[in-house]
Amino acid sequence: MDRYMRLKHIEPSVESGNPFKNCFTGREGIGEALTSIVHSIDLGGTIALTGEWGSGKTTFLRMWKQSLEDKQYPVVLLNAWETEWAEDPLIAVVACVSRACKQDKSKEVLAEIRRLANGFVQQPRQMIRSIVKASIDNHIGDVSQSIEEQTGQAFEKAVTSFDGKEKSMVSLKENLEKLAWNVNQESGDEKPLVFIIDELDRCRPDYAVRMLEVLKHFFVVKNIVFVCAVDKKHLEDSICGFYGSEKINASEYLRRFFDLEIGLPLPDYTKFCEHLYDYYQLDDFFESEERLKYPIFKNNAEDFKWFLSSLGIKKGLSLRQLERITAFTKLSLRNMPVGTSYYPILSLFVTYLRFFDYQFYTALRDHKWTCQKILDEFQTRYLKLLDTKPDPYDPRSDHQAMLFLIGKLIVSYNNDRRAKAENIYDFQMGKTNLTPNESFIAKEELDMALKYANQGSEGYELSGLFRYLEVLKID
C-alpha cells in the first residue's frame, strides 16, 4: 500500500474545449439547459440555482463558466463570500463588470458607471462610527441646542439627495445597458453578459441581503443575466437573521429578487462513488496481492462501491459528506491487515454511524446493547438499505451484501473482550439464536450470514476500528 494518501478531495480540473470532462456527477445536461435558458433572456433577469450545502454547486459553476466561454459568451464569476471585506457588494459587482469589459470603446462608459455607482455606495460602518464619535467629542456641549436645526437641515439634504439619486439611478441603468450592448456586440452573436454569483448563502446576513438589493435595483437591465447559486434554506435563515424575526416569510421575500428558480439535479451517485473509489486509491487495499489470494474477497470492491452509493441515495447524503466518509474509511482501512478476513464495508458503515447516527455508534462503542438489539435497530433504521431483494439467478446480490454486513457487525461486536460474549449461533444445529423481522430478513438468511461471518472473524473485534475513529475530530 502506498505510503502517502489523500485526505481531502481536490476540485477537479476544468479543461477548455471539454469543460465537463471531469464531471463525475452526470450534470452535463443541466449545463446545456441552463445555457439555453440564459440565451433566451433578452431583457435581463436573475436566476437562482438552488442546491444544498455540499451538493457540488461550485464545481458545476466552474465547469459551466468554461462551457460559456467556449461558446464565446461574456461571463463573470464572483465569489460573494470572498468579497465580504468590501463592505458594500455594489463595489464588488461594479469591479467584476469592469473586468469583463476590455474593449476601448467601453472605457468612457465604465468610468461613468463607476462615478454614478459611487453615489450609492454605503460608507463603511467603521468610518461612520469614527466620524460620529469625533463629532460628539468636539461638540458635546452644543448637541442639545442644535439638534432641531440639524434635523431640519438633514431632512432638506435627504430630499435633495433623493432627487439626485433618482436621476443617477436612471443614468446608471442606461450606462449599464450601453455597456452590456457593447459586450454583447463583441461576442459576435448577441450573447448576454452572464454574471455568476457563488457562495452568497455563506455571507453574513446584511451583506447577502444588500447583494440581492444591488442586483435587483441596479443591474436588471437588458443583456445582463445574473445566476446566483444558493442553498435556499441557508439564505432564508440569513434573511430572518437580518430582519431579526423568524416570522418573516423568507421564501416569499426571495421571490422579489429571483425571476426564475432552477434546482440543481441530484448527482449520479453510482458514477460519483466510482470516482471517489478511484480518487482515494482504494484499490491499494482491495486489489492488493495478499487480498486477491482469497476468493472470499472477490466481490468486496463492488460491494463497497454499491454500499457507498446506496448510503448517498437512500440517506440523502451530499457529495461533500460522501467525500468525507470515504476519506476517513480509507484511513481506517490503511490500518487493517490486507490479508485478514476483515470486511471493508464494516469500516464504511461504522464511519457513517460516527457522522450521522451517533446513538447507534456509541451503543456499539460502549457495548450498551445486546446482539438482538443491534439486529432490531439495524432493521428499523436501515430498512431502505435492505429493500433490494436477492436475484435468484445472481449468486451475489446487494441484499446478500447487506446480510453479510449484518453478520460481520454482530460477530465483531460479540467478540469484544470487554463484555461477556453472547451465544448467538448454534454451530451443531447450524442456526442462529437471534430472531430477525422476517419481513426484511428471512431466518435462514440470517443463519447463513452469521455462519459465514464467523469464518475468520474469531480474533476481530470492533474496538480496533473505534480506536482510529475516536482520535479523529470529524464533527
Side-chain angles (χ1 to χ4, degrees):
M1 189 175 292
D2 197 336
R3 174 188 169 190
Y4 302 102
M5 69 166 287
R6 295 166 172 167
L7 269 182
K8 186 176 182 181
H9 190 265
I10 300 172
E11 279 285 302
S13 61
V14 179
E15 296 183 10
S16 176
N18 191 6
F20 287 96
K21 176 182 177 181
N22 294 320
C23 176
F24 304 107
T25 57
R27 286 170 171 161
E28 300 89 334
I30 186 65
E32 291 298 321
L34 193 53
T35 300
S36 177
I37 292 170
V38 163
H39 192 79
S40 67
I41 300 174
D42 64 341
L43 297 178
T46 53
I47 298 173
L49 180 67
T50 63
E52 294 182 357
W53 176 88
S55 60
K57 297 188 296 296
T58 296
T59 300
F60 170 78
L61 288 178
R62 289 175 57 241
M63 294 178 175
W64 183 56
K65 175 179 180 288
Q66 184 61 57
S67 172
L68 290 171
E69 290 173 346
D70 289 345
K71 295 179 175 68
Q72 306 303 311
Y73 279 84
V75 56
V76 179
L77 175 60
L78 169 66
N79 186 314
W81 188 56
E82 292 178 354
T83 66
E84 268 191 333
W85 58 269
E87 290 285 347
D88 193 325
L90 180 58
I91 298 172
V93 175
V94 170
C96 284
V97 168
S98 299
R99 287 198 291 268
C101 307
K102 300 175 182 177
Q103 63 271 62
D104 291 337
K105 64 181 180 180
S106 295
K107 286 184 177 179
E108 290 185 10
V109 180
L110 275 172
E112 183 65 7
I113 288 172
R114 287 171 178 265
R115 184 189 70 79
L116 292 166
N118 183 58
F120 295 94
V121 172
Q122 295 180 346
Q123 294 298 328
R125 289 166 291 178
Q126 295 89 340
M127 184 185 299
I128 293 173
R129 282 197 292 266
S130 63
I131 293 172
V132 171
K133 184 177 185 301
S135 177
I136 291 175
D137 289 344
N138 293 332
H139 305 288
I140 190 69
D142 302 325
V143 170
S144 59
Q145 298 176 10
S146 63
I147 191 168
E148 184 175 347
E149 178 184 345
Q150 294 295 325
T151 301
Q153 291 177 1
F155 181 77
E156 290 298 325
K157 288 181 180 178
V159 172
T160 304
S161 174
F162 178 82
D163 291 337
K165 284 188 175 183
E166 199 170 35
K167 294 175 183 176
S168 294
M169 175 78 80
V170 174
S171 182
L172 177 59
K173 286 192 171 185
E174 289 174 349
N175 279 276
L176 282 168
E177 192 165 322
K178 188 184 299 183
L179 181 69
W181 172 254
N182 289 344
V183 174
N184 180 281
Q185 293 303 299
E186 187 184 21
S187 71
D189 190 25
E190 296 190 355
K191 295 182 174 72
L193 169 61
V194 183
F195 200 120
I196 302 169
I197 298 179
D198 193 18
E199 305 281 22
L200 184 59
D201 43 64
R202 292 183 68 184
C203 297
R204 65 176 190 270
D206 62 313
Y207 192 84
V209 172
R210 172 67 175 159
M211 176 70 82
L212 291 173
E213 291 174 343
V214 163
L215 300 186
K216 196 66 175 178
H217 298 314
F218 294 91
F219 289 89
V220 178
V221 298
K222 190 174 181 179
N223 292 321
I224 299 182
V225 178
F226 285 88
V227 178
C228 301
V230 296
D231 181 329
K232 192 176 178 183
K233 177 65 170 61
H234 282 191
L235 190 56
E236 289 174 355
D237 289 344
S238 290
I239 291 168
C240 292
F242 177 73
Y243 287 104
S245 173
E246 295 183 358
K247 294 182 179 179
I248 185 172
N249 189 334
S251 181
E252 188 63 33
Y253 179 85
L254 280 178
R255 290 196 181 95
R256 297 168 45 198
F257 299 102
F258 296 122
D259 303 305
L260 181 65
E261 183 178 315
I262 299 174
L264 191 67
L266 290 174
D268 182 332
Y269 280 101
T270 300
K271 184 177 181 180
F272 186 69
C273 290
E274 288 273 0
H275 162 66
L276 290 179
Y277 180 91
D278 294 335
Y279 180 84
Y280 287 107
Q281 302 167 327
L282 285 161
D283 265 353
D284 290 352
F285 179 87
F286 288 98
E287 301 297 325
S288 63
E289 287 186 21
E290 296 93 334
R291 202 163 178 85
L292 290 177
K293 293 176 184 176
Y294 302 91
I296 194 174
F297 300 145
K298 179 183 176 182
N299 294 314
N300 277 185
E302 292 305 311
D303 288 347
F304 184 93
K305 287 182 277 189
W306 163 77
F307 188 66
L308 183 62
S309 62
S310 291
L311 284 174
I313 295 168
K314 297 179 180 180
K315 289 298 182 180
L317 301 185
S318 70
L319 302 184
R320 196 165 300 171
Q321 289 167 336
L322 285 171
E323 288 169 8
R324 296 184 73 199
I325 291 171
T326 308
F328 285 115
T329 301
K330 170 64 183 286
L331 189 60
S332 67
L333 289 179
R334 282 178 66 88
N335 296 287
M336 299 297 169
V338 293
T340 68
S341 295
Y342 181 71
Y343 191 48
I345 289 183
L346 189 58
S347 274
L348 177 58
F349 180 64
V350 175
T351 302
Y352 166 83
L353 295 179
R354 177 73 170 86
F355 277 96
F356 302 107
D357 194 344
Y358 200 63
Q359 183 191 30
F360 202 151
Y361 174 84
T362 54
L364 295 174
R365 183 195 65 193
D366 301 334
H367 217 274
K368 294 179 180 178
W369 291 345
T370 64
C371 291
Q372 181 65 52
K373 174 72 170 174
I374 291 173
L375 177 62
D376 294 342
E377 290 294 330
F378 189 98
Q379 292 174 114
T380 301
R381 299 176 189 225
Y382 299 101
L383 165 63
K384 290 183 179 179
L385 297 174
L386 282 165
D387 62 6
T388 305
K389 294 299 181 185
D391 180 350
Y393 301 103
D394 182 3
R396 175 197 155 275
S397 71
D398 297 337
H399 185 74
Q400 288 169 326
M402 284 300 299
L403 289 173
F404 199 51
L405 170 61
I406 295 170
K408 281 290 186 182
L409 176 66
I410 292 173
V411 169
S412 300
Y413 178 80
N414 199 42
N415 283 342
D416 195 330
R417 286 168 289 183
R418 297 171 301 167
K420 184 178 179 181
E422 298 177 48
N423 182 20
I424 60 174
Y425 192 81
D426 186 332
F427 285 95
Q428 288 186 338
M429 299 294 293
K431 294 183 178 181
T432 177
N433 296 317
L434 303 178
T435 304
N437 181 334
E438 298 207 34
S439 298
F440 312 135
I441 303 173
K443 188 72 162 61
E444 56 271 20
E445 288 180 327
L446 185 61
D447 290 340
M448 185 172 294
L450 287 172
K451 175 183 176 182
Y452 283 108
N454 265 300
Q455 296 177 2
S457 298
E458 294 84 357
Y460 182 75
E461 54 184 277
L462 279 180
S463 56
L465 178 56
F466 290 125
R467 278 196 296 270
Y468 294 110
L469 290 175
E470 283 301 297
V471 298
L472 302 174
K473 184 174 178 57
I474 62 177
D475 296 324

